[in-house]
Amino acid sequence: MAPLPAASVLDLASVVPVVVVEELVDAVPLARALVAGGLPVIEVTLRTPVALDAIRAVADAVPDAVVGAGTLISPGQVSDALAAGARFLVSPGWTDVLLESMRASGVPFLPGVSTTSEVVALLERGVREMKFFPAQAAGGTAYLKSLSGPLPQARFCPTGGIGPANAPEYLALPNVGCVGGSWMLPADAIAARDWDRVEALARQASALSAGGTCR
């Protein structure tokens, strides 16, 4: 497996598509559309029966994609994701058991947090990069801005309720490295297998940054 082009998931791309693959046949063309649109870092969530096979298919067939596994909640899923070819790991929350499994994986990982105490606990354990989820429901940009003063060493990938309208606001924060979302993957486009539309939406998303210009 080739090393990541950056040491951190947060430094690979401004926007990370969060993908739910319902039909395995869609995995590769969907990933190719995202890569063509400038979004090569793809989080495939382990929410469907075909998710691991989808990661494996993308890892095998789309060499320009950096595919990872999301919605990890157990050490067994960490092992399965690595075996499928995941190059980074993301969890919606964390426990010490899950955290140690992710740490031992040897690939970059983002444990999920939504409170200040969770952030402090991870910093205490030597983890500085985290997923902030569910971002909008947990306080949004105002919450993250408040954290940047007392906890400047923590960096985040916010996901949950983020779209093209508010993504630049998140990316403008000093403690945000990237954002995750699925707005470039509308359900009707996936159902119609309209990969040209997905590519176009991905291209728009890849240009987002603070102020709405290319990052």
Side-chain angles (χ1 to χ4, degrees), residues 15-18 34 39 181-186 197-199 201-202 205:
V15 177
V16 177
V18 179
L34 291 173
L39 299 180
S182 57
W183 72 88
M184 71 295 296
L185 300 164
R197 183 181 172 200
V198 170
E199 180 180 339
L201 291 171

Side-chain angles (χ1 to χ4, degrees), residues 18-139:
V18 179
V19 181
V20 180
V21 179
E22 299 286 354
E23 301 288 342
L24 182 57
V25 68
D26 294 335
V28 168
L30 186 157
R32 285 175 174 157
L34 291 173
V35 171
L39 299 180
V41 184
I42 302 168
E43 176 189 335
V44 176
T45 63
L46 301 190
R47 302 181 192 176
T48 67
V50 301
L52 289 170
D53 286 334
I55 292 171
R56 187 174 291 106
V58 172
D60 289 344
V62 192
D64 291 333
V66 178
V67 62
T71 323
L72 294 163
I73 59 173
S74 72
Q77 288 182 321
V78 170
S79 298
D80 290 343
L82 291 174
R87 298 173 69 187
F88 64 91
L89 308 172
V90 184
S91 67
W94 66 277
T95 65
D96 279 318
V97 171
L98 179 60
L99 181 65
E100 287 312 305
S101 178
M102 295 173 76
R103 195 197 301 268
S105 70
V107 301
F109 60 93
L110 297 174
V113 298
S114 61
T115 69
T116 305
S117 294
E118 290 173 317
V119 175
V120 172
L122 283 177
L123 291 175
E124 187 178 74
R125 290 160 173 78
V127 178
R128 296 188 175 189
E129 299 187 345
M130 313 165 195
K131 171 179 177 173
F132 180 56
F133 174 82
Q136 284 292 95

